[in-house]
Amino acid sequence: MNIQIRPILVALRRHKAGTLLIALQIALTLAIVCNALFIIHQRLANLSEASGVDEADVFVVANYWADVNRSTEQVDAQVRADLAALRQLPAVLDATPASGYPLRGGGWDNFVTKTPDQVKPTTDAAVYTGDEHFIDTLGLKLVAGRNFRPDEVMVMGTQQAITPPTAIVSKALAERLFPGGDALGKSFYAMGTTPSTIIGIVDPLHRQGVDSSSNSYAGQALIWPLRADDSKGIYYIVRAKPGQLAAAMREAPKALFAQSRMRIIDPKDGVQDYATIRHKVFDSDRGMAILMGIICAVLLAITAAGIVGLTSFWVGQRRRQIGVRRALGARQRDILAYFLTENFLISVAGVALGTVLAIVFNLWTMTRFAMAPMSMAYVGVGVLVLLLLGQGAVLAPALRASRVPPVEATRGS
């Protein structure tokens, strides 16, 4: 079998419009599919990110106060009473007050600097507040240093800004601030002039947010020893004893209402376990992955249909030419190879242009949406898929062309 490339190129030049359209379609499909696969992989990876929380046993109660005019002292007294009631429940292991929790979907974060007069922040950290029970309640792993002492826990009222002198930070934040691995005992500033000294390090600890703006600061979080006694409301994070999550979730609201009826706990989603929290916060990632998958499938189907249609059209146009070649001795496999080679050349031109477009598109998403750079492996996979798709799509019309009999050469044009 001897494939002559030059006659194929001459034939393609005679059909410039169709050739260019298919090549452009392949290029655009490759550019979109590569980036879509990259986005799908990122979004699916998000779904399994470790939060650091003992998700099997922890749940969150969103508690809003019915009387928002109470003083900080009155709110703090109620919070203390609530926590005592929760911790006494038979199914509860521990409980802590909090201003937010990992995977909440957004919340308090501060720029962090190493000196008070630093203009450009060193990084950004999610801010959690809690008492000396915070780490044990969430099931966080303390990898260095110590936990808060009860006497270090401060009270922060509504719209107050308090910077405690001590903090526990995530390992990711400790390494970002002090890459030498000696963060314990060192201080940082979180949008204030009062330093916080690192007394402990936990790992891992997910941020509250999961959007693209949080990706650059993944895992960077700090915990301040504060009871945030906001007059509007507070979160209670509760850790159930192993195997008693359902019982604890049933009993917790009852215990809180027994303490005071002057509160609002949404009966629908006021009490959420971490399976629900994780499902909700990554719902958009899951939806985006499905959407990108559908777009990829539709684009690949359209591209395959375009190749089939154009090749079928060309076979119909060239029946007499194919008949002449068969009459001159060309075998069926020569005709088959001709059309496969012709499509392969178009596909190669398309994927070459598509590779450039895929890289440019990724650079645009990096600057516009702060996305990570795409690995060239995605482009390689996309190129392979498009080339195989093209050869697979052209096979049926190429086989029809190979069955054109030599007698077609004697028929009028």
Side-chain angles (χ1 to χ4, degrees):
M1 183 169 57
N2 184 20
I3 302 300
Q4 297 291 330
I5 301 298
R6 185 178 178 80
I8 296 175
L9 295 177
V10 172
L12 291 178
R13 276 201 294 270
R14 290 175 184 164
H15 303 88
K16 291 179 183 174
T19 302
L20 285 174
L21 282 175
I22 290 298
L24 282 175
Q25 188 173 2
I26 291 173
L28 288 174
T29 300
L30 176 63
I32 295 172
V33 167
C34 288
N35 282 277
L37 289 176
F38 177 57
I39 293 172
I40 289 172
H41 183 262
Q42 280 196 319
R43 297 304 175 107
L44 293 181
N46 289 344
L47 302 184
S48 57
E49 282 184 352
S51 65
V53 179
D54 173 19
E55 297 188 19
D57 297 318
V58 172
F59 64 96
V60 178
V61 180
N63 178 91
Y64 297 95
W65 304 119
D67 180 6
V68 296
N69 296 316
R70 289 188 296 181
S71 66
T72 299
E73 290 74 18
Q74 289 174 314
V75 173
D76 190 57
Q78 185 63 67
V79 169
R80 285 171 176 266
D82 288 349
L83 289 169
L86 289 172
R87 290 166 184 158
Q88 288 176 0
L89 290 174
V92 170
L93 194 62
D94 210 343
T96 184
S99 58
Y101 50 88
L103 301 183
R104 181 189 166 205
W108 185 2
D109 67 301
N110 276 0
F111 287 130
V112 178
T113 60
K114 297 170 73 171
T115 59
D117 54 352
Q118 189 174 324
V119 175
K120 185 178 179 181
T122 303
T123 187
D124 180 277
V127 177
Y128 296 107
T129 64
D131 58 14
E132 69 276 17
H133 295 264
F134 188 88
I135 289 179
D136 290 337
T137 299
L138 272 71
L140 300 179
K141 184 178 180 182
L142 188 67
V143 296
R146 64 170 177 85
N147 196 356
F148 298 124
R149 297 190 305 265
D151 61 286
E152 291 174 326
V153 179
M154 305 173 72
V155 173
M156 184 173 71
T158 307
Q159 296 184 341
Q160 277 188 308
I162 294 177
T163 302
T166 58
I168 294 175
V169 302
S170 65
K171 185 178 179 182
L173 178 59
E175 292 178 345
R176 180 68 183 85
L177 287 172
F178 306 102
D182 53 350
L184 276 181
K186 294 191 174 179
S187 299
F188 64 88
Y189 298 80
M191 300 182 69
T193 56
T194 303
S196 290
T197 301
I198 298 173
I199 62 166
I201 299 174
V202 293
D203 185 52
L205 177 55
H206 202 290
R207 291 167 64 92
Q208 300 177 68
V210 296
D211 56 4
S212 57
S213 62
S214 296
N215 291 340
S216 302
Y217 310 106
Q220 297 183 29
L222 67 90
I223 308 165
W224 271 331
L226 286 173
R227 272 195 308 277
D229 294 326
D230 194 294
S231 62
K232 295 180 181 176
I234 192 169
Y235 292 110
Y236 291 124
I237 303 176
V238 184
R239 186 177 185 182
K241 292 178 180 176
Q244 301 188 47
L245 178 66
M249 292 180 69
R250 282 194 307 271
E251 296 302 320
K254 296 177 185 176
L256 292 174
F257 279 115
Q259 284 295 315
S260 169
R261 301 295 301 177
M262 298 299 289
R263 70 179 79 236
I264 302 168
I265 299 175
D266 192 317
K268 183 180 177 183
D269 54 10
V271 182
Q272 297 185 98
D273 60 20
Y274 251 87
T276 305
I277 292 169
R278 179 175 282 276
H279 182 82
K280 282 184 176 180
V281 79
F282 289 121
D283 193 45
S284 61
D285 290 284
R286 195 178 299 104
M288 179 64 76
I290 294 172
L291 178 63
M292 291 289 106
I294 293 173
I295 289 174
C296 287
V298 170
L299 278 175
L300 291 173
I302 291 174
T303 302
I307 294 172
V308 170
L310 184 67
T311 308
S312 298
F313 175 71
W314 282 348
V315 169
Q317 270 192 331
R318 301 174 188 174
R319 287 185 68 83
R320 188 168 181 274
Q321 178 188 344
I322 296 169
V324 170
R325 291 196 61 193
R326 293 295 312 279
L328 292 175
R331 294 162 296 182
Q332 286 190 344
R333 63 183 182 184
D334 295 325
I335 302 301
L336 179 64
Y338 176 91
F339 280 97
L340 289 175
T341 304
E342 184 180 69
N343 180 75
F344 182 74
L345 293 176
I346 297 173
S347 297
V348 166
V351 297
L353 177 60
T355 299
V356 176
L357 292 177
I359 295 171
V360 170
F361 186 73
N362 178 242
L363 292 174
W364 178 75
T365 59
M366 287 169 59
T367 55
R368 181 68 178 80
F369 301 107
M371 290 186 63
M374 177 177 62
S375 167
M376 289 304 292
Y378 293 95
V379 179
V381 171
V383 168
L384 183 62
V385 168
L386 264 296
L387 290 178
L388 291 176
L389 179 73
Q391 294 303 87
V394 82
L395 188 59
L399 284 171
R400 283 200 301 274
S402 69
R403 297 191 191 104
V404 173
V407 72
E408 287 287 339
T410 64
R411 294 178 180 171
S413 60

